Amino acid sequence: MSNIKYRSCVGALIFNNQGQVLVCKRSSKKKTAVGKWQFPQGGVEAGRDEDYYIAVLREIKEEVGLEVTDDKLRFVTKIGEPLSYLYEYKNSITKAIGKVFNHNGQMIHWHLFFLPKDLISLIDLGFEEKPEFDECKWFNFDDFLKEEQQNNSDHTLPVPFKKEMYRQLLTLSKPIIEQYLQQQK
């Protein structure tokens, strides 16, 4: 039996009509992975027995200020199985943020959403008092995961210890995104 403990989380993969995904730059006020890019995500409030879908809607609202509506942000589907990652350098993270984790990583239940490209202007990073992100933008998922920084001219580099999980997410989500966009034509 494994001693690995995961925090239960949700993630939002938001894509546009060109198949690009919304990536967000971690706030300069964060204590770890400052300036690295990721997707909106967060913990499920276990004490409140929170549903995954309700949790992802809450996280989207808190982190990027969007709400699901028929004409703007639309829920598409949920990835069948959660994806996980382990924290890199757990002890140094604990030291940096001054809090002890009782888990070794996160188990993320991913939900896919569609947002028309021009509606990126609706994003409100100031919804929370302490914003998670400094910036959000559309990016090609494949390019986001490129190994070499020189291949990624924008320096939009993912949080390193989430990269393998993002590769799995790309594999699972790409056919779903392509099918959704095809059906919209």
Side-chain angles (χ1 to χ4, degrees), residues 14-16 66 72-73 113-117 119-120 138:
I14 301 171
F15 64 94
N16 67 24
L66 295 174
K72 295 179 180 98
L73 182 67
F113 294 86
F114 173 78
L115 180 70
K117 185 173 184 171
L119 294 184
I120 194 170
W138 294 118

Side-chain angles (χ1 to χ4, degrees), residues 48 50-59:
R48 293 189 354 203
E50 189 174 38
D51 174 79
Y52 294 126
Y53 183 70
I54 299 300
V56 78
L57 295 180
R58 177 182 49 75
E59 287 296 332

Side-chain angles (χ1 to χ4, degrees), residues 13-72:
L13 183 63
I14 301 171
F15 64 94
N16 67 24
N17 44 321
Q18 294 181 342
Q20 297 169 312
V21 294
L22 184 74
V23 295
C24 304
K25 186 177 183 181
R26 288 177 59 86
S27 171
S28 56
K29 295 178 177 34
K30 299 298 266 179
K31 295 187 179 178
T32 61
V34 172
K36 299 296 183 192
W37 295 74
Q38 67 177 54
F39 302 115
Q41 69 173 73
V44 175
E45 295 181 4
R48 293 189 354 203
D49 196 27
E50 189 174 38
D51 174 79
Y52 294 126
Y53 183 70
I54 299 300
V56 78
L57 295 180
R58 177 182 49 75
E59 287 296 332
I60 291 169
K61 182 68 175 171
E62 289 174 1
E63 294 187 359
V64 295
L66 295 174
E67 294 183 83
V68 172
T69 62
D70 286 341
D71 61 336
K72 295 179 180 98

Side-chain angles (χ1 to χ4, degrees), residues 76-93:
V76 175
T77 193
K78 178 180 183 284
I79 298 290
E81 295 297 319
L83 302 176
S84 65
Y85 68 87
L86 295 174
Y87 294 124
E88 194 173 75
Y89 315 115
K90 180 181 173 189
N91 292 337
S92 61
I93 291 174

